[in-house]
Amino acid sequence: MRPILMKGHERPLTYLKYNKEGDLLFSCALDRNPAVWYADNGELLGTYRGHNGAVWGCDVSRDSKLLITASADRTAKLWDVQTGSELFTFEFRSTVKSVEFSVGDKLAVIATDSFGEMSSAIHVKEIVGEPSEQCGDSVIELAQLGGRSNRAVWGPLNRTIISGGEEGVVRVWDVETKKVIYESDKETGHQKAVTSLTKSIDGSCLLTGSIDESAKLWDIRSMRLVRTYKAETPVNAVTLSPLLDHVVLGGGQDASSVTNDPRAGKFEAKFYHKVLGEEIGSVKGHFGPINALAFNPDGKSFASGGEDGYVRLHHLDHDYFHIAI
């Protein structure tokens, strides 16, 4: 499983996202310029220039025509994927931490951070086909409870929004009533900040990662805790295999707190059996904590992005699909 090393960013990676077909990989980093790559060979296709701050997340529409990005410059931007043209800018009063298109791509959920006396919030924007008709007004705005928000994603059929943040609580919001209908507790939920939220390819499961050195798998409809995966270091990124019962966690100790030996920081992507919860393997290579993970929708490769500024593309070999588990 020899990785392809992709160097297109000057600063640490923050987020990775494949398009639906799995032929394009989008990357975000602290260097302000999201990038797009060929997912097969790691060739850099181009960058999207226009942000004036770190880019914390992105999403791509189902038809791969629209890209939306979240930035510390207090904006979320819509882009033409093919031309790289900036189509529209949503402006906010604080850092934008995450973005996600709804099923159908008609809406986008956007999570913003707290700033001063202003609390973090979740915004829903309508996405229209013509850029000239796009407006910045929010269809829904939810004031996040408690601490800072790190990420928000859509629940089943766009009827709920699921959020996670610095206080370690996972919340489910009813879109129609704008009320919280579920809130994790310290007994079953995370003990520290939630760093990542991702859904299985069929939308039935939610996987959360936390700096409490664990990841948790939830039934997305009932929010019943299914499994907890224990790591040895803070978990910064999580992803689920679309083919096998495998969960992948990435993280590691802060590079400044370990020795010059990268092994000491445990900068590796760890594979766990989704049902049994046991660690079944790992992939090393980054020279700093792993901040981003994404599985290709075909399940035959995955990408990792690290504090070292590299994206590593891992094509899974024949032996991987014959693991005796």
Side-chain angles (χ1 to χ4, degrees):
M1 192 162 56
R2 188 179 181 87
I4 297 173
L5 206 59
M6 298 147 64
K7 183 63 173 174
H9 292 285
E10 299 173 357
R11 300 284 306 282
L13 271 291
T14 58
Y15 197 75
L16 294 169
K17 178 70 179 183
Y18 283 94
N19 66 338
K20 178 181 176 292
E21 289 77 15
D23 59 335
L24 298 176
L25 175 65
F26 297 86
S27 60
C28 302
L30 299 184
D31 63 3
R32 305 184 300 180
N33 300 318
V36 58
W37 316 73
Y38 273 129
D40 183 51
N41 59 14
E43 178 186 347
L44 179 63
L45 288 173
T47 56
Y48 300 88
R49 297 181 179 271
H51 280 300
N52 293 312
V55 181
W56 292 109
C58 70
D59 196 17
V60 59
S61 61
R62 192 174 179 85
D63 61 9
S64 299
K65 291 183 178 180
L66 283 180
L67 177 72
I68 187 169
T69 52
S71 175
D73 66 7
R74 304 182 184 183
T75 70
K77 291 181 182 289
L78 285 173
W79 311 81
D80 183 302
V81 168
Q82 186 172 4
T83 67
S85 300
E86 184 181 321
L87 302 177
F88 191 82
T89 298
F90 297 103
E91 297 184 353
F92 300 90
R93 296 169 59 194
S94 62
T95 294
V96 183
K97 296 304 293 285
S98 75
V99 288
E100 186 182 72
F101 286 120
S102 63
V103 174
D105 300 325
K106 300 298 184 184
L107 299 169
V109 61
I110 302 172
T112 56
D113 204 351
S114 58
F115 181 74
E117 296 182 356
M118 184 173 54
S119 65
S120 58
I122 297 168
H123 312 259
V124 175
K125 305 288 187 180
E126 186 176 6
I127 306 297
V128 299
E130 288 296 325
S132 60
E133 300 175 4
Q134 182 68 54
C135 75
D137 296 340
S138 293
V139 179
I140 298 171
E141 189 166 331
L142 307 170
Q144 179 72 307
L145 307 174
R148 301 164 61 187
S149 176
N150 284 336
R151 194 154 298 277
V153 298
W154 290 99
L157 302 175
N158 306 334
R159 292 175 178 168
T160 57
I161 293 170
I162 306 169
S163 65
E166 291 295 319
E167 80 276 33
V169 177
V170 176
R171 292 187 177 91
V172 181
W173 305 75
D174 185 290
V175 170
E176 186 174 348
T177 66
K178 303 179 185 178
K179 302 291 186 182
V180 174
I181 58 175
Y182 171 82
E183 191 171 277
S184 65
D185 55 40
K186 291 297 183 183
E187 184 177 346
T188 58
H190 289 291
Q191 306 301 308
K192 296 181 180 179
V194 174
T195 56
S196 50
L197 298 172
T198 192
K199 294 171 285 189
S200 58
I201 197 166
D202 63 359
S204 65
C205 295
L206 176 76
L207 184 63
T208 59
S210 170
I211 63 172
D212 67 4
E213 302 184 359
S214 76
K216 293 179 181 289
L217 185 71
W218 312 79
D219 180 288
I220 203 167
R221 292 186 181 275
S222 66
M223 288 306 293
R224 176 180 62 86
L225 179 63
V226 178
R227 186 72 59 201
T228 297
Y229 309 96
K230 296 290 187 180
E232 298 175 349
T233 58
V235 177
N236 299 335
V238 295
T239 189
L240 290 142
S241 169
L243 278 185
L244 302 177
D245 283 333
H246 290 173
V247 166
V248 186
L249 313 183
Q253 295 289 354
D254 182 12
S256 63
S257 64
V258 298
T259 68
N260 292 328
D261 185 350
R263 292 172 296 181
K266 302 186 183 299
F267 308 139
E268 54 195 3
K270 291 192 173 186
F271 284 70
Y272 292 77
H273 192 283
K274 179 181 172 183
V275 179
L276 303 178
E278 299 172 353
E279 184 180 340
I280 56 176
S282 64
V283 177
K284 300 178 176 64
H286 283 284
F287 289 90
I290 294 174
N291 297 333
L293 288 170
F295 244 106
N296 191 304
D298 68 7
K300 297 179 180 179
S301 62
F302 77 98
S304 59
E307 195 77 14
D308 56 10
Y310 284 95
V311 178
R312 298 175 72 90
L313 186 61
H314 310 265
H315 287 286
L316 302 171
D317 55 31
H318 183 269
D319 291 339
Y320 169 78
F321 297 99
H322 291 81
I323 297 175
I325 53 176

